[in-house]
Amino acid sequence: MKRVYNFSAGPATLPEEVLKKASEAILEYDNLGFSLIEMSHRSKPYDKINEEAEADMKKIMGLGDDYQVLFMGGGASLQFSMVPMNFLKEGMTADYINTGVWAGKAVIEAKKEGNINVIASSEDRKFCYIPKDIKCTEGAAFLHYTTNNTIYGTEYQFIPDVKVPLVADMSSDMLSRKMDFSKYSLIYAGAQKNLGPAGATIIVIKKSFLETAKDEKELPVMLSYKAHAAKKSIYNTPPVFPIFTVGLVLKWILAQGGLEEIEKANIKKSDYLYKYLDENTDFYSPTVDKDSRSRMNVTFRIVNHDLEPKFIEEAKEKGLVGMKGHRSTGGLRTSIYNAFPYEGVVKLVEFMEEFKKNNK
Amino acid sequence: MKRVYNFSAGPATLPEEVLKKASEAILEYDNLGFSLIEMSHRSKPYDKINEEAEADMKKIMGLGDDYQVLFMGGGASLQFSMVPMNFLKEGMTADYINTGVWAGKAVIEAKKEGNINVIASSEDRKFCYIPKDIKCTEGAAFLHYTTNNTIYGTEYQFIPDVKVPLVADMSSDMLSRKMDFSKYSLIYAGAQKNLGPAGATIIVIKKSFLETAKDEKELPVMLSYKAHAAKKSIYNTPPVFPIFTVGLVLKWILAQGGLEEIEKANIKKSDYLYKYLDENTDFYSPTVDKDSRSRMNVTFRIVNHDLEPKFIEEAKEKGLVGMKGHRSTGGLRTSIYNAFPYEGVVKLVEFMEEFKKNNK
């Protein structure tokens, strides 16, 4: 088959070798005489998948025994509720930063569970920047923020330096760069950007923070981190195929040389695209402040907005698909996650230059 | 490859043609130049998958516009909480029937949400039968029961005749037989038995019952049936691969001739096995009362329990796998869901006869 360059914001481009292995496992897993998706989750082969995925995740992140990795379903959206349900206890306050649609949804769900403070926001300029002045409420239960904002194309380029437990939604930039992950008490991410297919959610939790969570008896058991942690992610039947495929992606990241090499590749791709945009502001217009730009989701407009549908249509004919901006913002968005190849960005810039010449 | 006969209780045997199509879709979906699992869930091809799966489900069940089908993640275990969170309002009581481990877990979760009555139970005889005398609490919010009990091998052979809204966990026998599904207000099932791989949950809900659910503002939004229904199962990123594969299974059911033919095949398989068991009670001992036996999970013991590990081991050598009973009950369990072939049951009975001769 001829693969197109797929700039979709998620589910998104995955490594071809991952797709190949996942496809094979659907036919038969490990010469067992049945498919991966016919296999009991309470079996030795599944234990191995589950354990290796946790170990590889911690290896990539440079984390030790003081952290546990959980695999769940439900998407990051379910975490918006689970985080406050587990950690925002009676009489406490939690701090939130509002940097866009998903961060805002986390705020809405947290408000249903208890008292929160939105301590910073970039809503004043339509979320085109990352708020840098972060002062937490004294004794806050945690600070929740979104490291990368898929829709607006902004990304934190620093880790907030705060005294309260740090909780991050890393759905759209997890494992895209080196970071000191040990600064976090809880990290979560839907898999369907950098980490795998839709249907798995990854939670990385500091054990000392986990201990402070509400007991499973006080919560719907499926929403209890303690319940899932005690059963090592098989409290109930887990989403086997999505988790297996996340495991394949983790092995691919390790084979690339880990986050050091992954980050280099992501810098190369995003720099190439932003450089072109910055040199061609007569025709294209990047939407995000320079110090807040995402390496994952590059958002821009054509100065003459009316040309955007034509741009999308002609790009598609060239095998460059999935660049329509989110329905809430319009414009253009190119998502270039870990597995998106550099050649695709080169091809995009070639097309952009051609489109500019033909439509000036 | 040589396929074994896989008696696993779930995830379980799926039709080979479904595995083949699912495997192909992982490499490339519908000549689009990318994989099914790289495809945006907000795209026309995914809309088609979602819509066809709903339409096929309703067609198979003989349901019309007064029902809606939802696809979610989280498994049936999450439904244990969602049902009472949405429908058990302040001051109301809900009725539950306790027929085993999963029914019992539903009771535990419901108690966290409100007032419930366990109106019938088969705990007195270790869940080896189905309670038949069912009298609901006057004005109960709903009656919740489990149609098939995977662990104990019991199955309802009738639909409780009650005046209150009927809610059923059909995780392990959904679409295995003809039924008047219009008697139910809400049906849910984890996919990983008869319907597909782990990671998708199917909810079939009567619209008039849905209207009585709590508003999404009163609940974590991800646990609101109204929220999922309003967005036609794409409130957030759904588990694309599991749902796609459920869709393939539904098309396979239709190709078999629908539930009429499926039921015939299931009767043929389970009758063959129970007949052998009943004729060989000197050596084997079926564990369930005759009027309560499951067509899906046939549970039995060897009269001399000590022989069971040997049975499992020797069966495995013959390519008959996954027959170990649940850890809570011990013994033997053969799960013969829709996609499990008749030939596998014949092969099992042959092996059982041989094992009996060699170990009498």
Side-chain angles (χ1 to χ4, degrees):
Chain A
M1 79 148 161
K2 196 182 167 339
R3 266 172 82 78
V4 297
Y5 289 112
N6 175 14
F7 294 90
S8 174
T13 300
L14 292 170
E16 278 188 72
E17 63 190 78
V18 166
L19 297 175
K20 195 163 168 288
K21 284 178 187 164
S23 172
E24 285 165 4
I26 297 292
L27 289 179
E28 183 180 14
Y29 185 67
D30 206 15
N31 297 313
L32 288 172
F34 49 74
S35 164
L36 169 77
I37 59 174
E38 298 179 309
M39 179 168 74
S40 170
H41 60 293
R42 307 213 182 264
S43 63
K44 280 180 195 148
Y46 187 73
D47 282 347
K48 190 162 176 275
I49 289 168
N50 193 34
E51 283 164 15
E52 282 190 15
E54 165 156 19
D56 287 342
M57 182 68 80
K58 292 212 284 194
K59 189 172 176 186
I60 292 167
M61 297 176 87
L63 294 172
D65 280 346
D66 49 337
Y67 280 81
Q68 186 169 354
V69 179
L70 306 175
F71 299 103
M72 295 178 54
S77 294
L78 188 59
Q79 301 301 310
F80 297 163
S81 295
M82 278 185 69
V83 166
M85 286 173 92
N86 279 266
F87 295 105
L88 181 50
K89 295 175 191 165
E90 190 84 29
M92 294 180 97
T93 294
D95 288 343
Y96 278 73
I97 302 177
N98 183 14
T99 49
V101 173
W102 300 105
K105 288 192 180 195
V107 166
I108 289 167
E109 294 309 311
K111 276 184 181 164
K112 294 176 182 172
E113 306 303 331
N115 195 34
I116 70 156
N117 267 346
V118 177
I119 60 162
S121 168
S122 52
E123 198 172 5
D124 58 332
R125 290 204 289 124
K126 289 188 185 165
F127 301 114
C128 74
Y129 71 100
I130 289 293
K132 281 151 209 95
D133 188 26
I134 296 159
K135 292 210 172 51
C136 284
T137 308
E138 180 87 25
F142 56 82
L143 167 64
H144 178 283
Y145 81 114
T146 313
T147 51
N148 184 77
N149 300 280
T150 329
I151 293 175
Y152 294 96
T154 62
E155 186 175 22
Y156 268 86
Q157 290 167 11
F158 63 95
I159 300 177
D161 184 23
V162 294
K163 299 262 180 299
V164 308
L166 200 52
V167 174
D169 175 0
M170 291 197 187
S171 289
S172 51
D173 67 349
M174 193 168 176
L175 306 194
S176 69
R177 53 180 170 172
K178 283 186 297 173
M179 281 177 96
D180 183 356
F181 292 105
S182 73
K183 292 199 169 171
Y184 294 89
S185 291
L186 193 158
I187 294 164
Y188 64 86
Q192 67 272 11
K193 320 279 186 182
N194 278 317
L195 304 175
T201 312
I202 294 94
I203 295 108
V204 180
I205 191 164
K206 201 172 199 166
K207 288 178 183 171
S208 58
F209 188 58
L210 175 63
E211 278 166 25
T212 71
K214 280 189 199 160
D215 189 82
E216 66 174 77
K217 292 197 178 95
E218 301 173 73
L219 296 166
V221 68
M222 285 291 291
L223 305 188
S224 159
Y225 291 117
K226 279 186 173 169
H228 288 281
K231 300 286 186 182
K232 296 185 184 298
S233 305
I234 48 171
Y235 170 79
N236 72 329
T237 315
V240 170
F241 174 80
I243 292 170
F244 168 76
T245 308
V246 168
L248 294 179
V249 171
L250 296 177
K251 291 201 186 297
W252 175 82
I253 290 175
L254 286 166
Q256 305 304 300
L259 295 189
E260 186 148 346
E261 295 304 319
I262 290 283
E263 179 168 29
K264 270 187 210 161
N266 285 330
I267 290 173
K268 189 177 167 193
K269 286 184 285 178
S270 54
D271 278 2
Y272 190 80
L273 186 47
Y274 281 122
K275 183 166 177 287
Y276 178 78
L277 285 168
D278 286 335
E279 289 171 356
N280 291 276
T281 49
D282 56 325
F283 191 80
Y284 295 107
S285 150
T287 56
V288 172
D289 288 5
K290 281 191 180 177
D291 66 0
S292 302
R293 285 175 174 175
S294 168
R295 288 182 191 148
M296 300 286 102
N297 315 96
V298 178
T299 51
F300 59 97
R301 306 288 318 228
I302 298 177
V303 174
N304 175 2
H305 293 2
D306 296 344
L307 286 170
E308 287 167 355
K310 190 181 174 197
F311 180 95
I312 289 164
E313 201 44 55
E314 291 185 7
K316 201 173 163 186
E317 286 162 20
K318 304 263 177 190
L320 305 163
V321 307
M323 285 193 282
K324 198 174 172 186
H326 189 267
R327 59 202 179 285
S328 63
T329 57
L332 300 160
R333 171 173 59 171
T334 58
S335 298
I336 47 176
Y337 298 115
N338 288 353
F340 191 93
Y342 178 70
E343 300 71 46
V345 180
V346 172
K347 190 104 180 172
L348 169 63
V349 167
E350 274 171 28
F351 168 73
M352 288 172 75
E353 181 61 19
E354 192 192 318
F355 187 84
K356 180 184 152 182
K357 277 190 190 139
N358 294 341
N359 294 279
K360 256 200 302 202
Chain B
M1 77 148 164
K2 197 183 165 340
R3 267 172 82 78
V4 298
Y5 290 113
N6 176 14
F7 293 91
S8 175
T13 300
L14 293 170
E16 279 188 72
E17 62 190 79
V18 166
L19 296 175
K20 194 162 170 289
K21 283 179 187 164
S23 173
E24 285 166 3
I26 296 292
L27 289 179
E28 184 180 13
Y29 184 68
D30 206 16
N31 297 312
L32 288 172
F34 49 76
S35 163
L36 170 77
I37 59 174
E38 298 178 308
M39 178 169 75
S40 171
H41 59 294
R42 306 212 182 266
S43 63
K44 279 181 195 149
Y46 187 73
D47 282 347
K48 189 162 177 274
I49 289 168
N50 193 34
E51 283 165 14
E52 281 190 13
E54 165 157 17
D56 287 342
M57 182 69 79
K58 292 211 284 193
K59 189 174 177 185
I60 291 167
M61 298 176 83
L63 294 172
D65 280 347
D66 48 339
Y67 280 82
Q68 185 169 356
V69 179
L70 305 175
F71 299 102
M72 294 178 55
S77 295
L78 188 59
Q79 301 301 311
F80 297 163
S81 296
M82 278 184 68
V83 166
M85 285 172 92
N86 279 265
F87 295 106
L88 182 50
K89 295 176 193 166
E90 190 85 28
M92 294 180 97
T93 293
D95 288 342
Y96 278 73
I97 302 177
N98 183 13
T99 48
V101 173
W102 299 107
K105 288 192 181 197
V107 166
I108 290 168
E109 294 309 311
K111 276 184 180 164
K112 293 177 182 172
E113 306 303 331
N115 195 37
I116 69 155
N117 267 347
V118 177
I119 59 160
S121 169
S122 52
E123 199 170 4
D124 59 333
R125 290 203 291 123
K126 289 187 184 164
F127 302 116
C128 75
Y129 71 100
I130 288 295
K132 282 153 208 92
D133 187 27
I134 295 159
K135 290 207 172 53
C136 283
T137 308
E138 179 87 26
F142 55 83
L143 167 65
H144 178 283
Y145 81 114
T146 312
T147 51
N148 184 76
N149 300 280
T150 329
I151 293 176
Y152 294 95
T154 62
E155 187 174 21
Y156 269 87
Q157 290 167 12
F158 63 96
I159 299 177
D161 183 23
V162 294
K163 299 261 179 302
V164 308
L166 200 53
V167 174
D169 175 0
M170 291 197 187
S171 289
S172 52
D173 68 349
M174 193 166 175
L175 307 195
S176 69
R177 53 181 170 171
K178 285 185 295 170
M179 282 178 95
D180 183 357
F181 293 105
S182 73
K183 291 199 169 170
Y184 294 89
S185 291
L186 192 157
I187 295 164
Y188 64 86
Q192 68 272 11
K193 320 278 188 184
N194 278 317
L195 305 175
T201 312
I202 294 92
I203 295 108
V204 180
I205 191 165
K206 200 171 198 166
K207 288 179 183 170
S208 58
F209 188 59
L210 175 63
E211 277 167 26
T212 71
K214 281 189 198 160
D215 190 81
E216 67 173 76
K217 292 198 178 92
E218 300 173 73
L219 296 166
V221 68
M222 285 290 290
L223 305 188
S224 160
Y225 291 118
K226 279 186 172 168
H228 288 282
K231 300 287 185 179
K232 296 186 184 295
S233 305
I234 48 170
Y235 169 78
N236 72 329
T237 314
V240 170
F241 174 81
I243 292 170
F244 168 74
T245 308
V246 168
L248 294 179
V249 171
L250 297 177
K251 292 202 185 296
W252 174 83
I253 291 175
L254 287 167
Q256 304 305 299
L259 295 189
E260 185 148 347
E261 294 304 318
I262 291 283
E263 180 169 28
K264 269 189 211 161
N266 285 330
I267 290 173
K268 188 177 168 194
K269 286 184 286 179
S270 55
D271 278 2
Y272 190 79
L273 187 47
Y274 281 120
K275 183 166 178 287
Y276 177 78
L277 286 167
D278 286 335
E279 288 170 356
N280 292 275
T281 51
D282 56 325
F283 191 80
Y284 295 106
S285 151
T287 56
V288 172
D289 288 4
K290 281 192 181 177
D291 67 359
S292 301
R293 286 176 174 173
S294 168
R295 288 182 192 149
M296 301 285 103
N297 315 97
V298 178
T299 52
F300 59 98
R301 306 288 317 228
I302 297 177
V303 173
N304 176 1
H305 292 2
D306 295 343
L307 286 170
E308 288 168 355
K310 192 182 173 197
F311 180 95
I312 289 163
E313 200 47 52
E314 291 185 9
K316 202 175 163 185
E317 285 161 21
K318 303 261 177 194
L320 305 163
V321 306
M323 284 192 285
K324 197 175 172 184
H326 190 265
R327 61 201 179 283
S328 64
T329 57
L332 300 160
R333 172 173 58 172
T334 57
S335 298
I336 47 175
Y337 299 114
N338 287 354
F340 191 92
Y342 177 70
E343 299 73 43
V345 179
V346 173
K347 190 106 180 171
L348 169 63
V349 167
E350 273 170 29
F351 168 74
M352 289 172 76
E353 181 61 17
E354 190 192 319
F355 187 84
K356 180 183 154 183
K357 278 188 190 142
N358 295 340
N359 294 279
K360 259 202 299 202

